[in-house]
Structure formats: C-alpha cells, structure tokens
C-alpha cells in the first residue's frame, strides 16, 4: 500500500455541517475576490508590446473591410503555421472569436477595429477560472480519510487561502493586463485543470486508501493537457507537475506514476520539437553550458524574491545571461537556491513520515518544474530581453500556494493561534490585492507602460523602443522619439525593431542621407543574425522610395531608388520608380 501523508486534521476541527458550508462557499469567495481585484483590467487599452502584431493590427484578426474569417486566410491559418516564433492555434482561435464579436468597420484612435474590453474581459475570466482550479487542486490534496471506512474531510478555507495567494499576487498582473498574455492564461488554466482532473482520476479510495483509476477523468485531463499545449508550448511542464504531486506529496510508487504519465510525456514530445523549431533561441548570446545552472539558480531565486516582496515589477528586468553572470550576487543567489533544494530533499529522506518537509519540497519543486523551460538551462528567444519575466511565473505560483494551504491546515495549531492566523491572512490578502490594483496602473497606456519599464530597467532596449514608437506618432515629440530609438540601439545593437523605427522616423523627416546610412546599418546587422532570425530587408530601399514618392516628395525618393539599384542593378521596379520620381521633379505642380 502506498504511504500517504499524515492527516492535517485539527483536533479542534469544526463540525461537518460547517465544513460542508465552507466547501460550498470557499470557491465562490476565491472567484469573487479575484474577479473584483482584477476587474480594473477590463477598461484598459491595448499595449504596444506585441498586442499590435498579435491582435489589433493583425490583418487576420482585424482586417479593414470585413470581420475576421475562419478559413486558411484567416484564423485557420494559425492551425498550420507558427506566428511570432510560437505555435499557439488555440489562443489565436479564442482571439479570433473575440475579434469577430467586437469588430467594427470604423477604427478607433489607435487604428484598432476590435474592442480591447472584449480581450481583457476574456483574460480576466480565464484567470478567475484558473484560481478556482487551484482551489480544486488544493482542496483535493488536503483531503484525508478521517478513519478507516470513514468519510474524507477537507480544509476548504486553507485551500481557498492558497488559491487567493495564486489569484491575487501582483506577479499575476502582467499576465492578465497584457492582452497578448492570454496564451499564458489559457495554457495555465487548461494545465491546472489537467492536473486537478488527473488527481481525480487517480484518487485514493476513501475506504481502503488504495489508488483507483477513473478513465473518464483521465481522458478529460488529457484533453485539457492538449488544449494547454496548443495554447502555449510552455504547458509541456504539466506532466512533471503532476509527477511532483504524486511522488513527493502523495508518495505513490514510482512505477505506477511513470505508467500513468508516460502517455502525457509522449504527447508533449512533438510540442517540444515544434517549439524548438519555431523558437530556436539562436539570437541569444551563447552561455557556456557549465554556467547555465548558475543562471537557472539565480533566476529561481529572483522569482522567490519577487514572491516574498513584489515590488519594482516591470515587463523587462534586463536579466540577460552575460549581464547577470558578471555580478557576484548572481553566484550567491544560485548557490542559495541549490542549497535550499538539496536541504529540502535531505529533510524528506531523513524524516520520511513528516508531512512538513514534503510539503515544502513539493511546493518548491512545483515552482521549479513550472519555470524549468525558462530558467536559462536552454536558450530561448526572450532571453534577448530578459531570462525572467512575471508572466513566466503564472503557474509556478501554485507551488507557494500549496505550502501556504498546508501551513494553514496543519493539525497542531492551537485555537488561540488560529484566532491570529485569520486576521493575518486577511491583512495579507488585502495588501496583495492593493498592490495588484496599483500595478494595473502601469498598464493604462503605452507611454505609462514604457516609462515604468525604464524606471525599473533604465537600459531596457525594449522599453526605449516601445517609448520611441509611441512618441513618434505624437506631434512635437519626434526628437524624444529619436533619442529613445537610439538609446535602444545603443543598449542592444541587434534589436532590429528599434533600427527599423529609426529609419521610418528619419525618412518621414526628410533626413535622407541619415536614413540611407541607417538602412545600410540595419541590413548589416540583419546579416549578422542566424538565418532563422533574419528579416527580409532586400526591398527596404525600394519600399521607402515608393512611400516617399506617393507622399509627394519625389526629390527625396530619387535617392532611395538609386540605392535600390546599387543593390539590384536593373531592377525594373526601382528603375520605374526612379523614372517616375524624376518626371515628378521635372513637371511642376499645377496651382
């Protein structure tokens, strides 16, 4: 018989009617409190960080002449192609439905034909559902048979406390406030549902404690796993999360766990392959293999620090391997993280029957496993910006939630300390909620967002680029926009987005010679990148010349067409464009 954790029942436990009422009310409390705290997001605009590319300026989701279509030229395209280095067809399907529901023929001030409120409301509801799934997961893990043949008794309010830690923590704001973060929310919600259903499928019988298998729940859990992986490839960690619970918390035999999770691992293998092909991470500065565990350990410690003290949160922390490896503190953090993991493992081996070490180890390993693909052990695309990011921690926060729920449900709390715990938790959750509401303020607009990033990470190329793009469209702010773009290039020379924006700005200002130099620099930098990360700039001189000519500036267009012909002598398009530009110069405009 598999050994189970000791009961967390309290000798002063409330009677059954009270527990039944708590079990009914607790998930509703989790849902309502999370909904109210994060409701501010519904009225917020899109943010110009991927939202334009993925949603409101995406011609498949926000076409000019008609609502989005569902064929291969519309939403169906994403089931056969990756986009922005990710294969996430379920997410694009949900976005497509939201776009179809909110599409209008007249664009708003930002040029969007879809309503951000629909997208933010969807993100909010998915987050609330994820918090309820966390409650269901924790409630099942805290249930233990009262006695042989007796009914199982649980700790609904302990589970609710853990779920509220997950739902209200400020680290979750980025994932919910960022419309493009719906992919993380969907992957997280489906993944958590998969684990909860998996544990139901393998639940202990209440009469004899032996595992019993429920095929319907297992098949439904598997379907949720597939949906999670098609929402975002990071869901490949879900089998590992289920394994952590079974092996560490429930202490089930390894052989049975491997047999039950083997189909899940096989299902995730193609996801890993497709994800690696779509996002090779080759643009990231190479990190020696022996130093990657240091990056991973320090990154794990970083998340632990933000968990305990959620201040100075921002979209970009500048946590690049070459930068952080040069800091002595990185090595100290990595050593501390490793020492904690080893210490917990030793404690579990030393005190096999003690629930405490296993609860701490299970929570820590859950957090580690959830973050494993983005800790820096293998390169990934976003490391060009930062190894750590708040939205990566979304599912990882279930680990600390499990530890908190276990602490509250411990059987050795006397009545008097219990009277202290409840008010303390109320204060904690009020503080977390207030901090989250405040954090949403940094998502009220693109300029506010960008300046927050730069306040936390002054050398953020992403922050400078986003700010420059925003200011470029504001009358009288072109000088500030140029300064931001040049700062982005200075801090990250390979950041093509800032370079293309600078070319556009210089061209619109008529600074032809400078624009030509920047175009040559852009092409040179693009050529340095691995082939998988290069963009097509072969026609950039031709395109710039055509735009300049169409806007009534033929004298400036001549130079761009001439440069295009230098790259491609005899190009008929450039030749024709040059002819038209010269004719326009020679032919005075009629007054």
């Amino acid at each position: 018989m598999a050994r189970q954790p000791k009961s967390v029942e309290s000798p002063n436990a409330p009677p059954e009617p009270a527990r039944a009422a708590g079990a009914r009310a607790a998930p509703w409390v989790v849902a309502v409190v999370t909904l109210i705290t994060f409701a501010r997001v519904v009225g917020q605009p899109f943010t110009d960080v991927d939202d334009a590319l993925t949603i409101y300026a995406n011609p498949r989701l926000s076409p000019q002449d008609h609502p989005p279509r569902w064929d291969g030229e519309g939403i169906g395209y994403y089931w056969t192609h990756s986009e922005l280095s990710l294969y996430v067809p379920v997410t694009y399907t949900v976005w497509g439905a939201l776009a179809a529901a909110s599409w209008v023929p007249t664009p708003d001030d930002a040029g969007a034909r879809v309503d951000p409120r629909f997208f933010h409301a969807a993100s909010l509801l998915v987050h609330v559902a994820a918090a309820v799934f966390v409650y269901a997961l924790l409630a099942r893990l805290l249930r233990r048979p009262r006695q042989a043949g007796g009914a199982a008794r649980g700790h609904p309010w302990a589970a609710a406390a853990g779920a509220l830690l997950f739902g209200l923590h400020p680290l979750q704001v980025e994932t919910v406030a960022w419309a493009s973060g719906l992919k993380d929310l969907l992957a997280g919600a489906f993944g958590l549902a998969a684990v909860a259903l998996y544990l139901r499928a393998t639940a202990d019988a209440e009469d004899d404690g032996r595992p019993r298998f429920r095929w319907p729940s297992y098949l439904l859990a598997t379907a949720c796993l597939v949906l999670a992986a098609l929402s975002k490839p990071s869901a490949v960690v879900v089998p590992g999360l289920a394994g952590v619970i079974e092996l560490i918390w429930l202490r089930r035999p390894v052989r049975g766990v491997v047999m039950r999770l083997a189909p899940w691992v096989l299902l995730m293998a193609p996801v890993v392959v497709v994800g690696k092909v779509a996002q090779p991470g080759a643009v990231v500065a190479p990190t020696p293999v022996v130093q990657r565990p240091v990056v991973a350990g320090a990154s794990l410690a970083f998340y632990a620090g933000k968990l305990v003290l959620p201040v100075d949160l921002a979209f970009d922390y500048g946590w690049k391997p070459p930068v952080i490896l040069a800091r002595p503190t990185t090595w100290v953090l990595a050593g501390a993280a490793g020492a904690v993991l080893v210490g917990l493992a030793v404690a579990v081996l030393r005190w096999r029957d003690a629930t405490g070490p296993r609860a701490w180890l299970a929570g820590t390993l859950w957090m580690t496993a959830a973050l494993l693909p983005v800790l820096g052990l293998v390169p990934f695309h976003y490391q060009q910006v930062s190894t750590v990011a708040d939205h990566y921690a979304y599912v990882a926060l279930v680990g600390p939630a499990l530890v908190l729920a276990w602490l509250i449900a411990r059987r050795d709390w006397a009545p008097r300390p219990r009277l202290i715990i409840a008010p303390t938790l109320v204060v904690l959750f009020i503080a977390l909620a207030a901090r989250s509401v405040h954090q949403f303020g940094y998502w009220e607009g693109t300029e506010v967002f960008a300046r927050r990033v730069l306040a936390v990470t002054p050398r953020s190329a992403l922050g400078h680029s986003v700010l420059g793009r925003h200011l470029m469209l504001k009358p009288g702010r072109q000088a500030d926009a140029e300064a931001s773009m040049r700062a982005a290039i200075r801090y990250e020379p390979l950041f093509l987005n800032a370079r293309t924006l600078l070319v556009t700005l210089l061209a619109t200002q008529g600074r032809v010679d400078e624009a030509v130099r920047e175009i040559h620099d852009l092409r040179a930098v693009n050529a340095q990148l691995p082939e998988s990360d290069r963009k097509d700039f072969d026609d950039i001189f031709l395109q710039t010349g055509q735009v300049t000519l169409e806007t009534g500036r033929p004298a400036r267009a001549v130079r761009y067409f001439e440069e295009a012909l230098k790259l491609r002598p005899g190009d008929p398009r450039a030749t024709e464009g040059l002819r038209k530009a010269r004719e326009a110069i020679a032919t005075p405009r009629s007054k």
Side-chain angles (χ1 to χ4, degrees):
M1 182 182 299
R3 301 180 67 183
Q4 304 297 325
K6 286 186 177 181
S7 171
V8 291
E9 296 293 336
S10 166
N12 300 287
E16 289 301 323
R19 283 179 175 268
R24 290 191 298 268
W28 286 101
V29 170
V30 171
V32 171
V33 172
T34 304
L35 182 70
I36 292 173
T37 301
F38 280 51
R40 181 178 180 180
V41 71
V42 176
Q44 293 184 320
F46 288 120
T47 303
D48 197 7
V49 181
D50 285 357
D51 287 355
L53 296 175
T54 57
I55 302 173
Y56 72 85
N58 182 340
R60 292 187 176 88
L61 264 68
S62 183
Q64 296 184 4
D65 303 326
H66 53 77
R69 300 193 308 235
W70 295 91
D71 56 15
E73 297 299 320
I75 308 306
Y77 169 88
Y78 297 107
W79 286 91
T80 55
H81 296 80
S82 63
E83 187 79 358
L84 299 177
S85 302
L86 286 174
Y87 181 67
V88 290
V90 167
T91 300
Y92 274 103
T93 299
V94 175
W95 278 335
L98 295 170
S102 65
W103 186 89
V104 293
T106 304
D108 62 15
D109 293 339
R113 286 178 165 80
V114 293
D115 193 334
R117 292 174 297 182
F118 280 68
F119 293 83
H120 288 314
S123 294
L124 174 62
L125 293 177
V126 173
H127 178 58
V128 171
V132 174
F133 291 149
V134 172
Y135 168 82
L137 173 62
L138 298 180
R140 178 166 293 280
L141 293 178
L142 295 177
R143 289 175 61 197
R144 294 292 175 264
R146 182 171 49 186
Q147 58 185 16
R153 299 173 64 182
H155 295 268
W157 293 112
L164 285 173
L165 176 65
F166 169 87
L168 302 182
H169 201 282
L171 277 174
Q172 308 290 44
V173 169
E174 178 175 295
T175 316
V176 180
W178 184 32
S180 296
L182 182 64
K183 57 185 177 292
D184 299 272
L185 291 166
L186 288 172
F190 281 127
L192 292 170
V195 176
L197 287 166
Y198 174 84
L199 293 178
R200 175 178 173 78
T202 61
D204 295 338
E206 296 176 356
D207 54 350
D208 57 11
R210 290 181 298 184
R212 59 184 178 183
F213 200 77
R214 298 181 177 93
W215 276 105
S217 295
Y218 183 81
L219 294 176
L220 187 56
T222 304
C224 288
L225 173 65
V226 172
L227 289 172
L230 294 178
S231 299
K232 190 177 181 182
S234 58
V236 296
V237 302
V238 171
L241 302 179
V244 166
I245 295 300
E246 284 208 281
L247 295 173
I248 305 301
W249 178 254
L250 299 176
R251 291 195 294 175
R252 289 174 175 168
V254 175
R255 183 174 180 273
V257 174
V258 171
M259 291 182 64
R260 289 188 291 273
L261 290 177
W264 281 19
V265 174
L266 292 176
L267 279 173
M268 293 299 100
V271 178
V272 174
V273 174
V274 172
K276 190 61 179 176
V277 171
Q279 190 180 116
V283 75
V284 179
T287 304
V289 175
V290 295
Q291 293 182 349
R292 292 181 188 178
V294 177
V295 174
S299 298
L300 189 60
F302 177 93
Y303 285 113
K306 294 299 183 183
L307 169 70
V308 176
L309 192 63
V311 297
D312 292 335
L313 302 180
F315 194 83
D316 176 15
Y317 294 107
W319 199 260
K320 304 175 186 178
V323 175
I324 63 174
L325 286 171
R327 303 172 183 168
T329 53
T330 298
W331 300 77
V332 175
L333 291 174
V340 168
L341 287 172
V342 172
L344 288 174
V346 170
V348 169
L349 294 174
R350 174 65 179 82
W351 295 284
R352 290 177 177 270
D353 295 328
T355 307
R358 283 185 292 103
W360 283 96
L361 182 61
T364 304
L365 287 181
W366 175 293
M367 187 172 183
T368 303
L371 292 167
L372 198 59
V374 290
L375 285 178
L377 292 173
V378 293
F380 56 97
H381 193 75
Y382 194 70
Q383 276 189 294
Q384 185 184 12
V385 177
S386 177
T387 302
V388 297
D390 291 359
H391 61 277
Y392 290 153
Y394 188 73
V395 174
L397 287 190
V398 178
L402 172 60
V403 175
L404 177 64
W406 169 79
L407 285 171
I408 297 171
R410 285 175 57 183
R411 65 181 183 179
D412 54 354
W413 289 113
R416 183 169 299 174
R418 283 180 180 274
L419 297 177
I420 300 174
I421 292 173
T424 301
L425 288 173
V426 170
V427 172
L428 170 65
F429 293 137
I430 290 176
L432 290 176
R435 187 66 187 170
S436 290
V437 171
H438 176 76
Q439 189 67 25
F440 273 110
Y442 297 120
W443 292 83
E444 288 289 354
T446 298
E447 184 168 356
V448 174
F449 167 87
R451 293 198 182 282
R452 172 60 177 177
V453 170
L454 295 175
V456 175
T457 310
R459 298 173 65 88
S460 169
L462 182 145
H464 282 293
S465 178
V466 170
L467 181 61
R469 177 185 175 86
H470 176 76
L471 296 178
M472 185 172 67
L473 303 176
K474 300 295 182 181
R477 305 294 299 276
Q478 281 69 32
D480 294 333
E482 181 180 349
S484 292
M485 294 169 191
R486 293 194 182 280
I489 296 170
R490 183 167 62 254
Y491 296 135
E492 181 49 75
L494 299 180
F495 199 42
L496 297 181
N497 186 49
R499 290 183 177 275
T500 55
L501 288 173
L502 180 58
V503 168
T504 302
L505 177 64
L506 295 174
T508 56
Q509 290 182 332
R511 297 157 65 180
V512 178
D513 290 340
E514 294 176 79
V516 168
R517 285 197 300 270
E518 291 297 336
I519 290 175
H520 282 298
D521 289 345
L522 172 63
R523 287 173 50 82
V525 170
N526 188 53
Q528 297 175 20
L529 299 177
E531 187 174 354
S532 60
D533 294 297
R534 293 176 192 167
K535 296 183 179 180
D536 185 5
F537 292 120
D538 289 345
D539 290 334
I540 187 170
F541 281 115
L542 176 64
Q543 293 167 354
T544 306
Q546 290 172 339
V547 171
T548 305
L549 179 60
E550 290 170 0
T551 53
R553 293 169 291 181
R556 300 174 186 174
V558 167
R559 178 70 185 282
Y560 296 119
F561 289 128
E562 289 176 342
E563 292 293 330
L565 287 170
K566 289 179 183 178
L567 294 177
R568 290 181 175 179
D571 186 325
R573 296 171 300 169
T575 301
E576 179 65 13
L578 181 59
R579 183 188 65 79
K580 290 182 178 180
R582 286 173 174 169
E583 285 183 354
I585 295 172
T587 305
R589 292 184 181 180
S590 59
K591 295 184 181 180

